[in-house]
Amino acid sequence: MRQSLRLGHVAGIPVGAHWSTLVIAVLIGAVLAVSVLPQEAPGEEAVRYWLVAAAAAIVFLASLLAHELAHALVARRRGIAVRSITLWLLGGITEFAGEEARTPKDEFRVSVAGPLASLLASGVFFLVALPLRGPAVLVSAVWWLALMNAVLAVFNMLPGAPLDGGRVLHAFLWHRHRDRARADRSVAKAGQALGMTLIAIGGLELILLGWTGGLWLMLVGWFLAGAARSEGLVRIAHRGFQGWRVRDVMTASPEVAPGWQDVEEFVENVALRSRQSVFPVVDFSGRATGVLTMQALAAVPAEVRHGRRVASVSASLPADHVLTPDEDAEHIMRLGTFTGDLVAVVAEDGRVVGMVTTADLARSLQQAILRTGVPRHPHNGQRPLQG
Ligand SMILES: [Zn+2]
C-alpha cells in the first residue's frame, strides 16, 4: 500500500500512513466526541469532549501501530525482512520484503505477536483507568482505549485469511498436515466465509436494529472476503511458480526490431505478418535497447515511415524489466507491465532470447493453479479453490 504520509522510522522500519487513515481518525474522534464520551461522562463542555476525543483517537492509532510493530519486530527476529508498516482505513499493514515464514512455528509467532500486543495495550489502559481519579471524560476515554484494544485483539484473532487468526490457523494446519498449499486453500475459504458472515451480521444489525454500525461491519466483511479470495489466488500462484525459471514462462526467440532499420521496412517485412504486438528493440550487437509496440508504429503516419529509424519510435526499456532465463520465475510476479502488454525482456549474455507478455503471464498463472489446485486425495471431495 502506498504511504501518502511518511511518519518516520521506528527501529529502522519505515512507518507511514495512507490518506484513508485520516478518515478513520476523524470518524473515531467524532464518534467519541458526540456519542461515546457525552454518554459516559455527561455535563461537560463540547470543546472538552472534542479535545479528549482527538487525543484518544491519536493514542488509538498509536496502539494500532504498536500492534503492527509487534508483528514486524518478531518477524525480523525470525529472519524475515520487513519493508514497511502502513496505517490505513481498516487498521495497519506490515509488508515483508520477500520470503515469508519458513516454518509453521515462525508463522505462528509472527502472527500471534500483533494480537498479543493489542491485548497487552488493553491491559495497560485497564490498569491506568482503574485507579484514575481525574475528570470523568478523561477516565472514560482511557476505558474506551482499553476496550478498543481488547476488541482489536479479539477481532484480529478471528480464524480466516487475511486476519492474524487466519495466519495462526494456517500455521496450525501447515504444521499438522505438512502441506502448505492445502493450508493456503483452507484459510482462504475460511476468510471468505468469515467475510460473508460479517456482511450478514452487519446487514441484520442494520435492518432489524437500525444500527448504522452494521454498515461498518458490512464494509469490513466485504473487504475481508475479497482479500481472502485474492490472497488465496496469489499464494496458489506463488507456490505453483516454485521451481520455475523465467525460461519456463517466456516466449522464446521472439521477433525483434533492429533499432537501425527503417520503419517502413520493418512494418512491411515484420509488423504486418507478425503474431506479436510488441517487439524488443535491439542494437547491432543484439542487445536490448528499447521496446516497440504496434500502437507506437501505428502512430507514425504512413507517409513519413520511410526515412525514420525504428529506434526513434521505440520506448525505453527499464533496467529492472530485463531478466535472465535462469532467474526465479517469481521475479516476474513483482513486475508490472511497462509498455503495451510487455512485462519483461529476457536476455542472456547481452542478447535477447525471449520476452514475457501479459498473455505469457496469464497462461503461466493458470498452469500454476492447475499444478497446485489438484487435490491430493481426489476421493475426499476436496476441490481446488474456485475463482
Ligand atoms: Zn495483526
Side-chain angles (χ1 to χ4, degrees):
M1 175 156 305
R2 214 195 209 99
Q3 296 185 348
S4 359
L5 183 68
R6 302 239 159 100
L7 299 173
H9 288 74
V10 180
I13 299 163
V15 172
H18 185 250
W19 64 265
S20 57
T21 314
L22 267 180
V23 178
I24 184 77
V26 169
L27 209 64
I28 289 175
V31 167
L32 274 173
V34 304
S35 167
V36 177
L37 295 179
Q39 265 171 32
E40 296 296 318
E44 295 275 357
E45 280 177 67
V47 62
R48 293 191 61 168
Y49 288 131
W50 279 99
L51 279 176
V52 174
I58 290 169
V59 175
F60 179 68
L61 289 181
S63 50
L64 278 181
L65 206 57
H67 174 111
E68 294 305 319
L69 263 175
H71 285 306
L73 293 178
V74 173
R76 207 160 61 175
R77 275 190 67 160
R78 310 308 308 171
I80 303 163
V82 178
R83 186 180 289 157
S84 64
I85 293 176
T86 307
L87 292 180
W88 75 299
L89 185 63
L90 298 177
I93 293 179
T94 300
E95 283 182 286
F96 300 107
E99 190 42 41
E100 29 180 16
R102 278 180 285 268
T103 64
K105 202 181 246 178
D106 280 0
E107 183 176 43
F108 173 77
R109 285 177 180 167
V110 172
S111 312
V112 89
L116 279 183
S118 295
L119 207 59
L120 188 71
S122 174
V124 169
F125 287 123
F126 178 74
L127 288 179
V128 169
L130 212 52
L132 195 60
R133 296 281 169 269
V137 58
L138 198 66
V139 178
S140 313
V142 181
W143 274 115
W144 179 84
L145 282 167
L147 180 70
M148 286 311 281
N149 274 286
V151 168
L152 207 61
V154 171
F155 175 75
N156 273 290
M157 281 308 284
L158 290 178
L163 293 176
D164 296 329
R167 309 224 191 281
V168 168
L169 179 66
H170 183 271
F172 170 74
L173 293 174
W174 178 15
H175 173 76
R176 184 164 161 190
H177 301 297
R178 304 273 151 208
D179 185 342
R180 204 171 181 171
R182 180 176 163 185
D184 287 343
R185 291 195 295 273
S186 302
V187 297
K189 274 184 202 157
Q192 283 172 285
L194 189 63
M196 293 305 173
T197 309
L198 292 186
I199 292 175
I201 295 174
L204 284 177
E205 276 185 0
L206 193 66
I207 295 162
L208 298 182
L209 305 170
W211 291 354
T212 42
L215 269 179
W216 186 249
L217 206 55
M218 288 173 81
L219 175 70
V220 172
W222 174 75
F223 163 78
L224 267 186
R229 184 177 167 275
S230 58
E231 194 188 90
L233 286 173
V234 166
R235 278 172 183 250
I236 284 169
H238 188 78
R239 307 252 179 279
F241 263 12
Q242 264 170 11
W244 276 21
R245 306 271 155 219
V246 169
R247 69 166 79 251
D248 302 321
V249 177
M250 72 182 189
T251 297
S253 315
E255 289 181 290
V256 297
W260 66 90
Q261 200 173 37
D262 194 81
V263 171
E264 185 173 45
E265 205 180 317
F266 181 77
V267 167
E268 275 164 19
N269 294 341
V270 183
L272 283 178
R273 49 154 195 80
S274 177
R275 315 300 294 172
Q276 293 171 210
S277 59
V278 59
F279 306 87
V281 177
V282 295
D283 62 11
F284 282 115
S285 62
R287 200 173 57 89
T289 58
V291 179
L292 182 65
T293 60
M294 285 290 199
Q295 291 100 306
L297 277 177
V300 182
E303 59 274 17
V304 298
R305 279 183 197 152
H306 182 64
R308 285 194 74 171
R309 302 259 165 263
V310 161
S312 72
V313 288
S314 67
S316 64
L317 177 63
D320 55 332
H321 286 264
V322 181
L323 304 174
T324 61
D326 288 320
E327 257 178 280
D328 212 318
E330 279 177 51
H331 288 177
I332 303 170
M333 300 276 290
R334 299 201 199 108
L335 298 174
T337 57
F338 63 95
T339 185
D341 59 355
L342 191 70
V343 179
V345 169
V346 186
E348 192 167 36
D349 302 325
R351 296 179 60 85
V352 173
V353 294
M355 66 174 187
V356 179
T357 63
T358 48
D360 293 322
L361 204 55
R363 186 193 57 244
S364 303
L365 283 176
Q366 292 297 338
Q367 289 170 336
I369 289 168
L370 280 177
R371 278 181 5 146
T372 56
V374 177
R376 252 156 222 240
H377 309 291
H379 57 268
N380 71 3
Q382 197 188 344
R383 288 166 58 208
L385 188 83
Q386 300 290 302

